[in-house]
Amino acid sequence: MIPEPTATAASRPSEQNENSQDEANSSGAVNHSEDESGNENRQKSVRRRKRAHKGSENVKQKRAKAGCSGVRRAGGSPRKKRHVEAVTLFEVITMGRSAMQVVIDDWIEAYIRDRDSSLLDLISFFIQCSGCKGVVTAEMCQSKEDTDVMSKMVEEMDEVAGLQYKKFLAFPWILTVTWPMDTDSVEYPLIQSGPYGRWFHSEFCDFVSVLVAQCQHSVIFDSYLMNTLISLLTELSNSYIRAFRHTCTLAAVKLLSSLVGVALCLSVSIENSQKLYEVQKSKTMRQKSTLQLDRIQKTITELQEKRAEIESMMDIVFKGVFLKRYRDVLPEIRSICMEELGLWMKRYSSAFLNDSYLKYMGWMMHDKIPDVRLKCVLGLQGLYGDPLLLPKMDLFTSRFKDRMISMTLDKDNEVAVQTMKLLVLISRTSDDVLSPEDYKRLLQFVYSSQRPLAATAGELLYSRLLNTVAPASDTQDEMNEEETHKQQTFIKLKALLQFYQESELHKHVVYLVDSLWDCGGALLKDWPTLTSVLLQDPSSQSPGLTQAEQAVLVEVLVASVRQASEGPALAGRSGAKKVMSAREKKILVDDSAKLTEHLLTVLPKLLTKFSSSCDIVSSLMKIPQYFLTECPEAENTQAVSSLMTEIGAVLELHSDPAVLEAAARTYLSLCGEETAGCSTARAARDSLVQRWVDHLTALLGDSLKGDSLSSDKEKTGEILATLKKLRAFHNCHDLSRWNLFTLLSPLLSVESSQGGALPEVLSEVLQCLCYSMLWSLNTSSETLTSREKAASQRLQLRLFCERGHSCLSHSDQEVRQQAFLGICDVLTAHSYQLHVWDPTSFGPLLYTPSPKLQRALLNFVCVHVFVGPDCDSQGSVSENSEVERLEDLHKRRNLLAAYCKLIVHGVLEMSMAAEVFMYYRKYYNDFGDIIKETMYRTRQTDKIESARTLVLCLQQLFVRLKREQESGGRAHPGVQTFTSIKELARRFALTFGDLFKFRECVVMIHRNSIEFVFQEFSQTPDTPTPPYLSYLTILSEFSSKLLKPDKKTVLSYLQKHTAEHIINLREECWQPLIYYRASLLAVAEGEDAVSYVSSDRKPHMPNRSPFSKQKLEGGKSPCPSNPADSKDSKVHRSSFSPSHQEKTPDMDPFSVPVEPPAKRLNIEASVLSTGSEADEDTVEIEL
């Protein structure tokens, strides 16, 4: 925050009257102190400071001497003046609007006495409000046309002195502002964040408004104050200094807005005077007074002259400030200009509302900043909302209508919403502006993902299509009120259904209802009329609805029930209120009670009428899920029984998955503990399940003989339909007491060669058995009361896994996938129960899947998940094939997620994830999020083991590539190129964000990889290099994640493995080693491995080694230097020299700063102690 100045001083002649033109060269200065306290502290001190009468007299004497140092701020009676201390105009902003009026009145009095001194106070005020803490110097000017004067108007900076200068003309003053150069980057008051910035903006605008309002009857027409003020603001608004330009542009446009108010007051006075003149003129000769008429005419002439003068001022400000700043580079300035322009055109339409001014509004609707476009739209809303102004908007509307319609697609949500509100306003006031094509385009926004935009479009739809009145008929007088309402509702519903069907956006009824909810809630919540229309039979007088319209109306009914019960929260739509008020919650409860009371009795009738339609029935059976659980009407046993009977009758007719899922969820809702009538619903559910189990037992008894399943097509269809019903209900309800596992498990052992079960039957059986095991594991704490029951549960788990394992090789893909998902889900649930098991009671026994099953699961993932073209290759496909591809991708993602959960929960070893991590880069767009989350979860469990898994993944890929190259055969699809493996390593390295947190992991990766390269390598003339030496190039991707001490330690560890081999750095075969060493030595910022590689191979420097860099940096180490350092560095260099073949012990001279005992790393002397003794001042990190 820039400190504000507290005092101003002007060195001026002690006495100067208004006519003293001879003293044209007299000058004044206003010094702005930099040692200011904050504005908040000043606000407190100004309010608290009081002084006695004697102090007031002293301030008056000081003010008489100082001239511009500050006017006395007081008002009212002299008694009040004694108790208010003198403050500057800038300080009055902190005192509120009431104090502002008093102080400005006092300033006007001071201006009448000495206008030059007071004007300097006002000039100082605007300079301070710009955040400037410099010096203002004022000189008198004789004439505006003086060429010497105009040539001095400059704005420059003095880099030597560190000051900036601005000299400009505010006639009759030549003002020079000097301030430090570094203040331009500091936040000035208008842009400061937080409450202070908003408060200052408001108070600053109020000051300008109050100043004009208090001066409008006095000094505003003296041709001196306003000329100087407008000249000042115009010059400062043209400054390249952002603070001056922003602050004074705001002041100028607010000044113009205040002048508009003055012009309006003058217009009202002129109108009243003209009326009075007409009244006096219409009087008889005896009553008429010529003197009074002349006086009124003179008053009218004076008022018109004043208004003309005010309009001249407005024109000067508009041309001098607005025309230069409405396209300013600063978005805030453009927003200010557009906001005020809309206000001028609305308030003073006679002068501003014409095409010459409207064009700026239309142009700026194309601005790239959303806030500028928003201000334009809001300004136009005010214009189109006034019917008296519409005739002047015709040309603008025809010119910019397309732009307004296109702005409904604005990337900024608020701009799009306000534009839609503007178009709704236009459609209400002008019917012929928007064409049918425009309406068709705009009404589609009811399906928008942004709820505010969709709700506004719903308001347009409701006002355009639904808010219609039925045409009068001869029989309408004979109808009662209820029939009339029903007919009106039917017409609206018919229009709504027609709009939805023409939109051709199926499965979007919930979004349409949500869009209309705010404006058409009364129509959508009229459930008695909706159900009566559905139950109405078509007749000659009333044709009713078609079957397609009935289906849509049922969806509208279900969507309205959901909206009334749960509120506007809708999946896929954002912008709704996340927290409801108490009033909104009460409305939800009342609506839920109303719909429960009505639909509980009507729903059975609807189910009976539409029982043959699968789609309609599946929608209707969702309605009980939204019933109010504690509603008294729900305790009506007869109504609940009737509903259960109808649902049961529907389930006997249909086995469609949608119908079964809706019925199962409805039973789950009605069978809850807190639901009224739950006992009736439970009895109906149990009876239904028992009937299905008995029927299935009888069918299997006739068809299942030994290891074969023999049944005709009809009987197989009955078995499949019953299994679907049991599977759907077992997903939501615990059916363990019917022992479905024992009943259905024999079906999995049926051999296909002996008449095996159909794939559809096997898929349903696998799902039923999976649900049975999940319910058994979920209720373990209640059902496992002895060890025998726990052993029986583990036996069932083993049996399910074995049978599922056999199904993994089934010929049908659906069966294979269901078996895989079932095994993964059951094993994950079993692992979870082991973690949450209470040791004080019986729980599930430990079960570990066999190695054969683990390999089968891994092989299934590799074969069925990572297949087909990866996501990076984009081909031109048709719409149908694209939909199929997305569905297949969704299934494969589920398979991969199920397998990764086994690794995360510890069912499988973490090393089993190496095969999955191999495809992280290749299938990043398809499965990258799943694999990355698996890395994150495994790293939380054991970060060292997770890092080993990454190393194992890279090593396996590298070995496969090496074998493929050695074999010389055709490239295998599962083998990745060297570049791909290196890129995969780079992406793995990026997952190690916190270098300190994963320090041990990265060091372990380097240690493991070095051992992998040099393990069991014996140098011979035929094999001069290790076979896996090029793997070091891949390993170098992790070098950037090493801390500087760890790089030195790893380098020493590398030297231990290379010391016993003859290495020629000039040979091409050792390039991977050179590259890896260079990556470890690249510790300086901005250096990379390539630069070190090039330095190693410079000609005429055969003994040059990257360790010379290490030696130099060793001198900077915090450890004390000793002769051993230089000796060790020589040993390091000689060990890599081609002429040095003797094995020498090397020591690790590098150290890690000693940590506290609680955080100290263990020392592995066998790995790091490469010499006989270690330095006493070093701590070795465990590798």
Side-chain angles (χ1 to χ4, degrees):
M1 178 176 171
I2 302 176
E4 298 85 357
T6 57
T8 59
S11 57
R12 299 181 46 79
S14 59
E15 291 188 6
Q16 177 185 24
N17 54 36
E18 299 178 0
N19 299 324
S20 59
Q21 300 294 335
D22 297 335
E23 300 177 1
N25 296 325
S26 61
S27 63
V30 183
N31 299 320
H32 293 187
S33 172
E34 298 185 13
D35 299 330
E36 283 292 319
S37 59
N39 187 67
E40 299 175 0
N41 296 332
R42 183 186 301 109
Q43 180 177 357
K44 297 178 181 178
S45 62
V46 167
R47 291 178 177 174
R48 295 176 180 174
R49 284 180 296 181
K50 300 292 182 180
R51 62 190 180 89
H53 171 67
K54 187 174 183 179
S56 178
E57 296 298 329
N58 294 334
V59 171
K60 293 181 182 179
Q61 296 174 3
K62 293 178 181 178
R63 180 183 173 280
K65 296 179 181 180
C68 293
S69 62
V71 295
R72 175 175 43 85
R73 311 299 175 207
S77 61
R79 181 174 299 180
K80 291 184 179 179
K81 295 181 182 179
R82 299 180 187 135
H83 298 283
V84 179
E85 187 174 349
V87 293
T88 64
L89 285 176
F90 184 79
E91 290 173 327
V92 80
I93 292 184
T94 65
M95 302 170 65
R97 188 180 183 92
S98 58
M100 197 180 296
Q101 293 178 351
V102 175
V103 173
I104 288 178
D105 287 340
D106 184 59
W107 179 87
I108 294 173
E109 295 177 4
Y111 174 82
I112 295 173
R113 294 193 300 269
D114 186 359
R115 64 183 188 181
D116 291 338
S117 175
S118 299
L119 266 180
L120 282 178
D121 264 345
L122 191 60
I123 292 171
S124 175
F125 165 77
F126 287 107
I127 298 296
Q128 295 175 56
C129 287
S130 301
C132 178
K133 49 185 179 181
V135 177
V136 180
T137 305
E139 305 177 23
M140 292 299 295
C141 176
Q142 288 282 1
S143 174
K144 291 183 179 181
E145 285 73 18
D146 191 351
T147 56
D148 295 336
V149 172
M150 299 307 297
S151 63
K152 298 178 181 178
M153 304 297 105
V154 294
E155 186 168 1
E156 57 186 14
M157 60 181 65
D158 186 354
E159 297 182 359
V160 178
L163 298 175
Q164 297 184 75
Y165 303 93
K166 180 173 179 59
K167 178 178 285 190
F168 57 95
L169 177 65
F171 191 81
W173 300 96
I174 299 177
L175 301 176
T176 303
V177 185
T178 308
W179 69 97
M181 292 177 57
D182 58 347
T183 58
D184 190 37
S185 61
V186 184
E187 286 190 350
Y188 50 95
L190 272 184
I191 64 170
Q192 288 187 5
S193 58
Y196 174 76
R198 296 189 297 270
W199 165 83
F200 181 85
H201 183 280
S202 175
E203 296 296 325
F204 180 70
C205 296
D206 286 346
F207 180 89
V208 178
S209 302
V210 173
L211 176 64
V212 176
Q214 299 300 102
C215 295
Q216 64 177 327
H217 301 296
S218 55
V219 296
I220 197 173
F221 300 105
D222 66 348
S223 300
Y224 187 81
L225 170 63
M226 295 306 298
N227 291 348
T228 305
L229 183 57
I230 292 174
S231 178
L232 168 72
L233 297 180
T234 303
E235 290 293 334
L236 289 181
S237 65
N238 290 332
S239 173
Y240 73 88
I241 303 299
R242 173 181 175 179
F244 286 152
R245 197 170 69 253
H246 188 186
T247 306
C248 293
T249 300
L250 176 61
V253 295
K254 287 297 180 181
L255 177 66
L256 200 156
S257 299
S258 301
L259 292 177
V260 165
V262 175
L264 289 175
C265 293
L266 292 174
S267 299
V268 172
S269 300
I270 291 172
E271 184 179 356
N272 294 335
S273 299
Q274 288 176 345
K275 291 179 180 180
L276 181 59
Y277 181 82
E278 295 297 332
V279 171
Q280 291 291 339
K281 192 176 181 181
S282 62
K283 291 182 180 181
T284 61
M285 294 298 297
R286 181 178 299 178
Q287 296 175 341
K288 185 183 302 185
S289 174
T290 306
L291 183 61
Q292 189 173 5
L293 285 174
D294 294 340
R295 186 169 59 252
I296 296 175
Q297 183 62 42
K298 183 179 179 181
T299 302
I300 294 175
T301 304
E302 292 176 355
L303 292 175
Q304 290 176 345
E305 291 176 354
K306 288 184 177 181
R307 185 174 65 178
E309 187 176 354
I310 293 295
E311 291 178 351
S312 175
M313 296 177 189
M314 293 191 295
D315 187 62
I316 294 173
V317 175
F318 184 85
K319 293 178 178 179
V321 178
F322 180 89
L323 289 183
K324 298 178 180 179
R325 299 276 70 82
Y326 83 97
R327 298 182 64 184
D328 194 275
V329 69
L330 194 64
E332 290 84 351
I333 295 179
R334 302 201 298 271
S335 298
I336 291 171
C337 292
M338 289 301 107
E339 183 179 10
E340 296 302 317
L341 178 60
L343 182 64
W344 303 334
M345 290 189 292
K346 180 176 175 59
R347 295 186 61 194
Y348 202 45
S349 58
S350 60
F352 286 98
L353 189 55
N354 54 62
D355 297 329
S356 299
Y357 295 95
L358 281 171
K359 64 183 181 183
Y360 302 112
M361 195 74 75
W363 292 345
M364 298 309 291
M365 285 196 297
H366 295 81
D367 196 274
K368 63 181 180 180
I369 302 299
D371 188 62
V372 180
R373 301 194 298 271
L374 180 62
K375 291 298 189 296
C376 295
V377 173
L378 293 177
L380 291 174
Q381 287 180 7
L383 299 179
Y384 281 102
D386 191 348
L388 300 177
L389 305 180
L390 292 179
K392 298 182 178 181
M393 303 291 296
D394 293 340
L395 183 60
F396 176 85
T397 304
S398 62
R399 172 64 179 83
F400 293 101
K401 183 189 73 172
D402 294 338
R403 173 56 184 165
M404 288 187 285
I405 293 176
S406 66
M407 286 178 67
T408 54
L409 295 171
D410 198 280
K411 64 180 181 180
D412 186 81
N413 296 329
E414 184 63 22
V415 174
V417 171
Q418 296 300 330
T419 304
M420 183 62 72
K421 290 182 179 180
L422 173 62
L423 293 171
V424 171
L425 201 59
I426 293 175
S427 68
R428 288 177 178 175
T429 55
S430 304
D431 296 334
D432 56 343
V433 173
L434 299 176
S435 63
E437 290 76 14
D438 296 333
Y439 279 111
K440 183 178 180 180
R441 181 179 175 183
L442 294 174
L443 293 180
Q444 294 301 314
F445 283 96
V446 295
Y447 303 109
S448 172
S449 60
Q450 296 293 327
R451 191 180 189 277
L453 180 59
T456 310
E459 185 179 350
L460 178 62
L461 172 63
Y462 188 78
S463 62
R464 180 70 180 173
L465 300 179
L466 305 183
N467 194 15
T468 57
V469 180
S473 61
D474 297 337
T475 59
Q476 187 170 2
D477 297 335
E478 302 175 1
M479 296 180 182
N480 55 19
E481 184 178 353
E482 182 179 355
E483 291 295 331
T484 304
H485 172 71
K486 184 176 179 181
Q487 183 179 3
Q488 294 285 344
T489 305
F490 180 79
I491 295 174
K492 294 179 181 179
L493 291 175
K494 193 80 172 177
L496 178 62
L497 298 178
Q498 182 181 359
F499 167 77
Y500 176 74
Q501 290 176 334
E502 291 176 354
S503 300
E504 297 180 356
L505 291 174
H506 305 295
K507 300 181 181 179
H508 282 67
V509 173
V510 288
Y511 299 100
L512 177 60
V513 170
D514 182 45
S515 302
L516 292 170
W517 194 256
D518 295 340
C519 57
L523 171 65
L524 298 173
K525 289 191 289 187
D526 192 0
W527 297 297
T529 305
L530 292 176
T531 53
S532 65
V533 171
L534 288 172
L535 292 173
Q536 179 182 356
D537 294 328
S539 61
S540 59
Q541 298 179 353
S542 178
L545 303 175
T546 63
Q547 186 174 0
E549 290 175 341
Q550 288 176 347
V552 175
L553 186 56
V554 168
E555 294 185 23
V556 171
L557 173 63
V558 177
S560 66
V561 168
R562 187 213 68 82
Q563 190 91 4
S565 176
E566 296 181 350
L570 197 61
R573 177 165 281 183
S574 59
K577 292 178 60 176
K578 296 182 179 180
V579 180
M580 292 187 294
S581 61
R583 178 176 174 274
E584 292 172 338
K585 292 180 180 178
K586 184 178 184 302
I587 292 175
L588 284 182
V589 174
D590 295 342
D591 291 342
S592 299
K594 292 178 182 178
L595 69 90
T596 303
E597 178 183 359
H598 175 72
L599 293 175
L600 185 61
T601 58
V602 177
L603 187 57
K605 301 177 184 178
L606 293 173
L607 290 174
T608 303
K609 180 178 179 179
F610 300 104
S611 59
S612 60
S613 177
C614 181
D615 296 335
I616 295 179
V617 165
S618 62
S619 299
L620 288 174
M621 282 199 294
K622 296 178 183 178
I623 292 178
Q625 301 174 22
Y626 306 108
F627 283 172
L628 189 62
T629 57
E630 301 176 356
C631 183
E633 289 75 8
E635 299 178 0
N636 188 350
T637 308
Q638 184 178 359
V640 176
S641 300
S642 176
L643 179 61
M644 295 296 101
T645 303
E646 292 300 329
I647 293 178
V650 170
L651 292 177
E652 293 297 329
L653 296 175
H654 301 283
S655 59
D656 186 78
V659 176
L660 297 177
E661 181 182 358
R665 293 184 179 275
T666 295
Y667 272 104
L668 180 64
S669 177
L670 296 177
C671 294
E673 295 289 343
E674 301 178 354
T675 306
C678 60
S679 57
T680 306
R682 289 177 183 176
R685 178 200 62 185
D686 295 345
S687 175
L688 204 59
V689 174
Q690 185 64 49
R691 186 162 66 250
W692 292 338
V693 172
D694 294 342
H695 184 57
L696 182 61
T697 303
L699 291 173
L700 293 179
D702 297 337
S703 304
L704 189 61
K705 298 178 181 179
D707 292 337
S708 64
L709 182 66
S710 59
S711 60
D712 55 12
K713 186 175 182 180
E714 181 180 356
K715 192 172 291 186
T716 303
E718 293 182 9
I719 293 175
L720 182 60
T722 308
L723 283 174
K724 287 181 178 180
K725 296 173 184 178
L726 288 174
R727 185 259 306 161
F729 272 71
H730 210 348
N731 186 21
C732 301
H733 304 268
D734 185 10
L735 308 181
S736 301
R737 55 176 171 160
W738 283 278
N739 200 8
L740 294 178
F741 190 91
T742 306
L743 177 64
L744 301 178
S745 57
L747 290 174
L748 296 180
S749 60
V750 176
E751 297 293 337
S752 300
S753 60
Q754 300 178 355
L758 292 175
E760 295 85 355
V761 175
L762 283 180
S763 179
E764 296 295 334
V765 169
L766 284 170
Q767 291 187 61
C768 285
L769 294 180
C770 177
Y771 294 150
S772 179
M773 288 303 309
L774 292 176
W775 278 108
S776 176
L777 292 170
N778 188 49
T779 58
S780 297
S781 59
E782 303 173 2
T783 57
L784 298 184
T785 57
S786 63
R787 184 172 181 82
E788 289 75 14
K789 291 185 178 180
S792 176
Q793 184 191 74
R794 183 170 63 176
L795 182 63
Q796 286 185 348
L797 179 60
R798 179 183 293 110
L799 179 62
F800 176 77
C801 292
E802 292 175 354
R803 301 287 173 82
H805 185 193
S806 63
C807 292
L808 289 177
S809 57
H810 196 274
S811 58
D812 186 76
Q813 183 180 4
E814 187 68 25
V815 175
R816 294 195 302 268
Q817 292 183 358
Q818 190 55 54
F820 178 83
L821 291 175
I823 294 173
C824 293
D825 291 343
V826 169
L827 291 178
T828 303
H830 179 261
S831 174
Y832 175 76
Q833 291 297 328
L834 290 176
H835 282 86
V836 300
W837 169 53
D838 185 6
T840 60
S841 61
F842 287 98
L845 298 180
L846 179 64
Y847 171 74
T848 303
S850 63
K852 187 176 180 181
L853 177 60
Q854 296 183 26
R855 289 194 299 270
L857 294 175
L858 177 59
N859 182 66
F860 186 89
V861 170
C862 295
V863 173
H864 293 84
V865 175
F866 302 106
V867 294
D870 55 89
C871 207
D872 295 334
S873 60
Q874 300 292 337
S876 58
V877 294
S878 62
E879 184 177 356
N880 292 334
S881 60
E882 180 67 15
V883 172
E884 294 175 358
R885 189 192 72 83
L886 292 177
E887 291 179 354
D888 179 66
L889 176 61
H890 180 67
K891 292 180 180 179
R892 290 191 290 146
R893 285 175 60 85
N894 286 339
L895 295 175
L896 179 60
Y899 181 79
C900 290
K901 282 190 286 188
L902 295 179
I903 298 172
V904 170
H905 289 277
V907 179
L908 301 179
E909 293 291 337
M910 200 174 295
S911 59
M912 300 286 285
E915 288 285 342
V916 175
F917 293 164
M918 292 178 183
Y919 302 97
Y920 178 60
R921 187 204 66 83
K922 186 176 181 181
Y923 291 90
Y924 182 81
N925 291 341
D926 289 343
F927 312 111
D929 55 339
I930 300 176
I931 299 176
K932 192 172 184 179
E933 183 67 18
T934 305
M935 290 183 191
Y936 174 73
R937 295 292 183 89
T938 55
R939 199 167 288 172
Q940 283 184 326
T941 304
D942 188 346
K943 59 183 181 181
I944 298 296
E945 187 63 27
S946 177
R948 285 197 181 97
T949 305
L950 299 181
V951 174
L952 178 62
C953 169
L954 295 174
Q955 292 176 359
Q956 288 180 353
L957 285 174
F958 182 79
V959 170
R960 292 178 187 177
L961 176 63
K962 197 73 174 177
R963 291 175 181 174
E964 189 74 18
Q965 292 174 344
E966 292 174 355
S967 64
R970 189 178 61 179
H972 191 271
V975 178
Q976 301 185 24
T977 62
F978 186 84
T979 305
S980 300
I981 301 174
K982 192 171 183 296
E983 175 63 19
L984 180 63
R986 186 187 70 84
R987 297 201 181 188
F988 284 166
L990 292 177
T991 61
F992 295 98
D994 191 344
L995 300 184
F996 291 94
K997 181 179 179 180
F998 300 110
R999 180 180 183 182
E1000 298 178 12
C1001 300
V1002 179
V1003 171
M1004 186 278 303
I1005 289 175
H1006 284 269
R1007 173 187 178 277
N1008 193 312
S1009 300
I1010 292 172
E1011 293 174 354
F1012 168 74
V1013 172
F1014 293 98
Q1015 63 182 350
E1016 301 178 358
F1017 169 64
S1018 177
Q1019 192 174 31
T1020 62
D1022 296 334
T1023 57
T1025 61
Y1028 297 155
L1029 183 65
S1030 57
Y1031 182 79
L1032 293 177
T1033 305
I1034 299 174
L1035 180 60
S1036 63
E1037 296 293 337
F1038 294 91
S1039 298
S1040 61
K1041 299 300 177 181
L1042 283 169
L1043 297 177
K1044 184 176 178 180
D1046 297 341
K1047 284 189 177 184
K1048 299 175 182 178
T1049 306
V1050 171
L1051 188 62
S1052 176
Y1053 192 73
L1054 174 66
Q1055 182 180 338
K1056 175 186 174 183
H1057 285 78
T1058 58
E1060 57 188 22
H1061 305 301
I1062 300 175
I1063 299 175
N1064 187 356
L1065 300 181
R1066 301 180 63 85
E1067 294 183 1
E1068 191 71 24
C1069 58
W1070 290 102
Q1071 286 304 309
L1073 177 62
I1074 297 174
Y1075 190 88
Y1076 178 57
R1077 286 176 50 228
S1079 68
L1080 295 178
L1081 290 171
V1083 295
E1085 183 180 359
E1087 297 176 342
D1088 56 3
V1090 177
S1091 62
Y1092 278 98
V1093 171
S1094 60
S1095 66
D1096 280 345
R1097 305 187 64 187
K1098 284 184 179 180
H1100 310 295
M1101 297 182 66
N1103 293 330
R1104 181 167 176 86
S1105 169
F1107 277 89
S1108 60
K1109 176 79 174 178
Q1110 181 179 354
K1111 179 180 178 182
L1112 292 177
E1113 290 175 349
K1116 300 177 182 180
S1117 174
C1119 302
S1121 60
N1122 50 56
D1125 292 335
S1126 59
K1127 185 185 297 184
D1128 289 335
S1129 64
K1130 294 179 181 179
V1131 172
H1132 288 215
R1133 185 184 303 111
S1134 61
S1135 64
F1136 281 91
S1137 173
S1139 61
H1140 186 83
Q1141 303 181 15
E1142 182 180 357
K1143 180 179 178 181
T1144 57
D1146 54 327
M1147 299 177 59
D1148 183 11
F1150 308 106
S1151 63
V1152 179
V1154 181
E1155 297 180 356
K1159 297 184 179 180
R1160 187 174 301 169
L1161 301 174
N1162 296 327
I1163 300 176
E1164 190 177 352
S1166 61
V1167 176
L1168 291 177
S1169 298
T1170 56
S1172 57
E1173 294 181 0
D1175 291 342
E1176 297 180 357
D1177 295 332
T1178 63
V1179 176
E1180 297 168 339
I1181 183 172
E1182 179 185 1
L1183 291 176

